[in-house]
Amino acid sequence: MKNTKTLNQLSEVTTTIHYRKSFTVNRIASAITLAVLSVGMSLTAIAKPAENMTLNPDASSSAAANNGIERIIVTSDFGQRSPDNLASSVVVISEQLLDLRQAEHLEDIVGIVPNLNFSSGASRGKFIQIRGIGERSLFAEPINASVALVVDEINFSGLGGLGALFDVQQVEVLSGPQSTGFGATGLAGIIKVVSNTATDSQEGYLQGSFAEYNTQRYSAAYSNQIVDGLNARIAMQHVKSDGFVENIYLNRDDTNNIDEFNTKLAVDYVLSETADLELKLYHFDVDNGYDAFSLDNDNKTRSDEPGFDRTETQAASIKYIQDLGEHSFTLSLTTLNADLDYGYDEDWTFVDFHPATYSSFDQYKREVRNQTVDARYASTGASSPWVIGFYYQQSEQDLTRIYTYAAADFTSLYEPNSIAIYGERSWQLSEPLSITAGARVEKFDADYVDSNNFVEVLDDSLLAGKLTASYALQKATFYSSISRSYKAGGFNADERVSDQDRLYSPEYNWNYELGIKGKIDTSSGIKANLSLTFFYMQREDAQVSDFSVLNREDGSGAVEFVDVIGNADTGINKGIEVSSNWQLNDRLSAVVNVGYLDATFGNYQLVDGSFVDKQLQAQAPKITFYTSTSYEITDNITWAVEFEGKDRHRFSVGHDDRAPFTAVFNTEVNWQEGNILVQLWAKNIFDRELPTRGFGGFNNDPRDGYSGSKPYYQFGQERQLGVTATYRF
């Protein structure tokens, strides 16, 4: 592996990594110091403001109100509040920052948000973890998502491959339990992608991007009024890339390629002065390759049957909004049909590579059907706003597994359904003090049957709630919250799993937060928006994903895996999240985000029989950080530099192989003249190795006789140079 640097030496900005078996007190202290320093000036100002400094938590995080720029609103919150007024840890990623990152997919923006991580094991980083909680893979077992992924009105949870980012207004990340609003998929938090809306005047853009590894991206959008009261917007994007992997057996460099064509249509129809109708249609056509793992961890594969990661999806939503004076009524209907086809060369080699080589291919064809109804009735009064709602979801997942060593194809049908009522109310008890209370009651049931004659019926009654308090003091906002979130139970369908491990219980997550948000505005011209959150999460019956390694019965010495989910008695996730935006002068701006996370689980027996008293959770790095600076060299030219990284962390609870500390630099130069923008950019400019998925506890190399164990990695973004041109009208 290439080396980078320990956190204690971040200020030197070199590229050396030192592996350590444990985190020392000095490293943790350095992380906390970094977080505190990033908001040090703000905390001093908030505690004791100077005469020439004001704090305005009501101002937009993107602009001062007197600039005439539209304020940022968090649409995933019932109250449609600004981030500064939301009693929760929230990061809103703007369209401008998405453009800076050349973001095509959610995996491209994960590094911005404190305590947000992802794992791959596919063509994209499909699986998201917030504060250490979230899935890491999906094979034959049906799973319920821990992190809600919402695109406008549609819940795409569990379908992270569809997290395409094009024609997007903003991405909202709410960390911590969100089940009152999003049910069983909101255990750890939510990610919501908010698309640009249809406009009543002509606007749009054309964009082309070209980069190394035969990477091309074409995007376009057009919005206008069709007739009086009827507006429409259409957007599309086509992304192609050969990827960073070379197949040295087939002599190809495109077996781990990206090939995606996505479109969406938004229609806004004003029915009357008090009624509005919004229609959105989506089409995703993903035809990516998947050939990522190599025996020597060098991005040079030897697969004779390269895998694939395909998805064809149609989705639609229709939303009716009725203004009733002091009240409003909203009805949202959604439908989603997704056909997923995922497969990989399990042996990673060709037949004649070694006398002991075996040949195996594993394929999963999954059809997902999902329909939802969400009805809300809300008050519009300013003093004590409230909302009450009804939610219904009907789903169906058909799976066919085609596996070389199976006597016949494995098929299953999983039908999870939910019905819920929810509500929230806020009270302004005094001018500085307000409280909000919310709750959700959900009835979850699921039917399952498969070709091994395993039949199971689940029936859970689930309860979530939250209570928050906000207090404005010296023009800053202090807040605290207590919330309870849930995730439905499930089962392990593989017939080789013991009877005692077949079922696992629902998980509950209690979350306690203290935070402060505010804005600095000094006479010297320095402006900043800052947020600091302390959280403590207590997981009850924490669902832990483990696996069992089984020797094949053919005598080859090769192994296969069985995923097993169980409940750990304890799970504690605690930490700090800092986010800040700085306008240092008329030409220089900066973003500093830092996360610290201590996530453990315990009192759990692994599949191999060993007992875990206490262990670090997987995909939960102690430190995550992101900084960026943008400098206007001239009125037309801007230079930006990004620096992001995350600490060493476990890939899985079933083995102890870990991702190393990583630190990555990106840079970009923008030239704008009128409606034309040209961007020259470089990602991962020091070409650091970035593991996005790791396996351990086995050996897949016939040269070693499949004996012993070694780690295997999938790698992400290599160094890449590119240019993007955009014309807006």
Side-chain angles (χ1 to χ4, degrees):
M1 300 292 293
K2 297 179 182 177
N3 290 329
T4 38
K5 167 176 202 111
T6 64
L7 192 59
N8 285 333
Q9 300 166 315
L10 276 177
S11 59
E12 299 177 15
V13 192
T14 60
T15 52
T16 308
I17 288 183
H18 297 286
Y19 295 98
R20 295 184 179 181
K21 294 183 179 180
S22 62
F23 296 102
T24 66
V25 174
N26 287 337
R27 293 185 69 185
I28 297 174
S30 298
I32 297 174
T33 301
L34 182 59
V36 171
L37 286 176
S38 69
V39 293
M41 185 170 68
S42 68
L43 294 181
T44 302
I46 291 171
K48 194 173 183 178
E51 292 182 359
N52 61 351
M53 181 179 296
T54 60
L55 292 162
N56 182 8
D58 295 326
S60 165
S61 60
S62 63
N66 57 12
N67 286 343
I69 300 176
E70 183 179 2
R71 296 175 59 197
I72 293 177
I73 298 298
V74 180
T75 64
S76 48
D77 175 67
F78 286 142
Q80 299 282 295
R81 301 176 178 91
S82 72
D84 295 324
N85 292 329
L86 189 61
S88 177
S89 179
V90 56
V91 173
V92 178
I93 302 171
S94 66
E95 183 178 11
Q96 291 74 21
L97 188 51
L98 294 174
D99 288 342
L100 171 66
R101 307 250 325 158
Q102 301 293 318
E104 301 169 355
H105 189 271
L106 284 176
E107 66 179 0
D108 297 320
I109 63 172
V110 168
I112 298 174
V113 183
N115 293 326
L116 190 66
N117 200 10
F118 78 96
S119 61
S120 190
S123 63
R124 292 286 198 183
K126 291 183 175 183
F127 307 100
I128 304 294
Q129 302 86 38
I130 295 179
R131 295 178 177 175
I133 302 175
E135 286 61 53
R136 302 188 301 278
S137 62
L138 174 61
F139 295 101
E141 306 294 331
I143 60 173
N144 302 307
S146 300
V147 176
L149 170 59
V150 180
V151 180
D152 298 320
E153 304 300 323
I154 301 179
N155 195 323
F156 283 84
S157 301
L159 300 172
L162 302 180
L165 300 177
F166 66 105
D167 198 38
V168 169
Q169 173 185 327
Q170 63 191 40
V171 178
E172 304 167 5
V173 181
L174 274 66
S175 298
Q178 303 294 330
S179 284
T180 53
F182 296 91
T185 58
L187 178 76
I190 68 166
I191 299 175
K192 184 176 182 181
V193 179
V194 183
S195 302
N196 285 318
T197 58
T199 58
D200 58 4
S201 59
Q202 177 177 272
E203 69 170 46
Y205 63 86
L206 299 171
Q207 185 179 81
S209 184
F210 305 91
E212 294 178 286
Y213 303 99
N214 195 28
T215 299
Q216 305 171 44
R217 182 176 79 246
Y218 304 98
S219 305
Y222 180 79
S223 180
N224 205 349
Q225 184 180 82
I226 299 176
V227 296
D228 187 28
L230 179 62
N231 307 325
R233 185 181 188 95
I234 186 170
M236 60 188 66
Q237 177 171 272
H238 189 195
V239 181
K240 296 191 67 175
S241 177
D242 288 344
F244 309 116
V245 172
E246 178 185 359
N247 188 310
I248 58 178
Y249 171 68
L250 297 177
N251 194 28
R252 290 173 54 188
D253 59 6
D254 63 349
T255 55
N256 200 53
N257 70 310
I258 297 294
D259 188 356
E260 302 172 347
F261 181 72
N262 304 314
T263 61
K264 53 188 171 185
L265 172 68
V267 177
D268 188 355
Y269 182 42
V270 179
L271 298 174
S272 68
E273 292 183 356
T274 59
D276 193 61
L277 190 67
E278 299 175 359
L279 172 68
K280 292 184 173 67
L281 304 175
Y282 307 82
H283 174 74
F284 299 89
D285 186 0
V286 177
D287 188 15
N288 297 342
Y290 176 48
D291 185 28
F293 284 91
S294 58
L295 295 177
D296 299 314
N297 288 321
D298 57 0
N299 263 351
K300 299 182 184 300
T301 66
R302 298 180 173 89
S303 309
D304 57 355
E305 297 179 281
F308 43 78
D309 187 10
R310 305 164 181 154
T311 304
E312 185 169 350
T313 302
Q314 291 78 39
S317 70
I318 185 168
K319 184 177 182 180
Y320 173 76
I321 305 168
Q322 177 69 57
D323 184 358
L324 301 172
E326 294 184 356
H327 301 86
S328 66
F329 173 74
T330 304
L331 176 64
S332 298
L333 309 175
T334 75
T335 182
L336 181 149
N337 298 311
D339 296 324
L340 296 84
D341 194 4
Y342 169 80
Y344 55 93
D345 189 331
E346 189 180 47
D347 56 278
W348 304 349
T349 60
F350 53 94
V351 173
D352 296 327
F353 172 69
H354 188 274
T357 301
Y358 68 101
S359 179
S360 176
F361 195 85
D362 204 0
Q363 181 179 1
Y364 300 82
K365 303 181 70 173
R366 184 176 269 107
E367 298 178 6
V368 179
R369 307 290 180 258
N370 189 47
Q371 293 81 39
T372 69
V373 178
D374 192 352
R376 296 180 184 179
Y377 186 66
S379 77
T380 56
S383 58
S384 299
W386 53 263
V387 61
I388 187 169
F390 167 83
Y391 179 83
Y392 175 74
Q393 175 178 278
Q394 181 179 0
S395 302
E396 179 180 306
Q397 300 178 22
D398 292 276
L399 171 71
T400 300
R401 183 190 184 190
I402 306 169
Y403 183 47
T404 300
Y405 285 92
D409 293 347
F410 172 82
T411 61
S412 67
L413 174 61
Y414 179 56
E415 297 178 304
N417 302 302
S418 296
I419 185 169
I421 57 173
Y422 59 86
E424 181 179 284
R425 183 166 185 174
S426 298
W427 293 269
Q428 192 72 41
L429 300 183
S430 64
E431 183 176 350
L433 178 63
S434 64
I435 63 172
T436 298
R440 186 186 188 100
V441 179
E442 180 169 339
K443 183 68 177 297
F444 174 87
D445 64 78
D447 297 328
Y448 177 87
V449 60
D450 64 31
S451 55
N452 290 332
N453 296 318
F454 176 63
V455 178
E456 187 60 53
V457 176
L458 299 177
D459 189 354
D460 292 325
S461 295
L462 306 166
L463 175 64
K466 72 173 183 178
L467 178 65
T468 68
S470 298
Y471 191 84
L473 179 64
Q474 297 181 347
K475 298 184 180 180
T477 299
F478 294 81
Y479 72 88
S480 62
S481 68
I482 301 174
S483 56
R484 184 183 196 243
S485 193
Y486 56 75
K487 180 182 178 182
F491 46 83
N492 299 297
D494 196 290
E495 59 185 352
R496 291 166 292 185
V497 177
S498 65
D499 290 341
Q500 67 179 14
D501 292 329
R502 271 295 175 95
L503 300 180
Y504 54 90
S505 302
E507 175 180 346
Y508 285 94
N509 183 358
W510 284 92
N511 181 71
Y512 308 89
E513 288 191 11
L514 290 173
I516 182 172
K517 298 183 180 183
K519 181 178 175 120
I520 292 175
D521 192 351
T522 71
S523 60
S524 61
I526 296 177
K527 300 179 181 180
N529 295 273
L530 305 115
S531 174
L532 172 63
T533 301
F534 298 87
F535 64 89
Y536 183 91
M537 303 169 66
Q538 185 174 356
R539 304 172 64 183
E540 296 179 355
D541 289 324
Q543 293 179 12
V544 177
S545 180
D546 192 9
F547 63 88
S548 179
V549 182
L550 304 176
N551 293 319
R552 295 194 191 282
E553 297 179 356
D554 59 4
S556 66
V559 299
E560 60 179 302
F561 302 87
V562 177
D563 291 321
V564 181
I565 299 176
N567 295 108
D569 285 349
T570 61
I572 302 297
N573 300 48
K574 55 187 176 181
I576 306 170
E577 290 163 355
V578 179
S579 59
S580 61
N581 296 272
W582 300 81
Q583 189 67 47
L584 301 176
N585 57 45
D586 290 341
R587 294 188 177 273
L588 180 62
S589 61
V591 175
V592 179
N593 296 338
V594 181
Y596 167 71
L597 176 65
D598 182 9
T600 60
F601 73 96
N603 198 17
Y604 178 69
Q605 184 171 326
L606 296 172
V607 177
D608 62 9
S610 59
F611 182 79
V612 175
D613 180 56
K614 185 178 181 180
Q615 179 176 294
L616 292 172
Q617 295 178 24
Q619 289 297 120
K622 287 270 187 180
I623 307 297
T624 54
F625 60 90
Y626 171 82
T627 65
S628 67
T629 58
S630 179
Y631 181 69
E632 294 183 16
I633 300 174
T634 69
D635 291 341
N636 303 94
I637 300 175
T638 302
W639 178 35
V641 178
E642 296 179 295
F643 178 40
E644 66 178 89
K646 53 189 173 184
D647 213 340
R648 190 168 176 253
H649 58 277
R650 299 175 64 96
F651 282 118
S652 171
V653 303
H655 61 81
D656 199 38
D657 290 302
R658 306 191 181 200
F661 173 90
T662 56
V664 179
F665 284 88
N666 307 315
T667 189
E668 178 177 287
V669 176
N670 297 339
W671 173 83
Q672 184 161 8
E673 183 67 39
N675 296 336
I676 298 175
L677 173 66
V678 178
Q679 302 164 284
L680 302 176
W681 49 268
K683 297 182 178 181
N684 192 6
I685 57 180
F686 294 114
D687 203 21
R688 298 296 89 200
E689 286 185 339
L690 305 177
T692 59
R693 185 70 167 128
F695 295 108
F698 71 100
N699 193 313
N700 207 33
D701 195 336
R703 298 170 298 185
D704 299 331
Y706 301 108
S707 62
S709 65
K710 61 185 292 188
Y712 296 103
Y713 305 112
Q714 177 179 352
F715 297 101
Q717 179 74 54
E718 293 189 358
R719 179 169 54 208
Q720 187 179 33
L721 307 178
V723 58
T724 301
T726 306
Y727 173 71
R728 296 188 180 274
F729 54 88

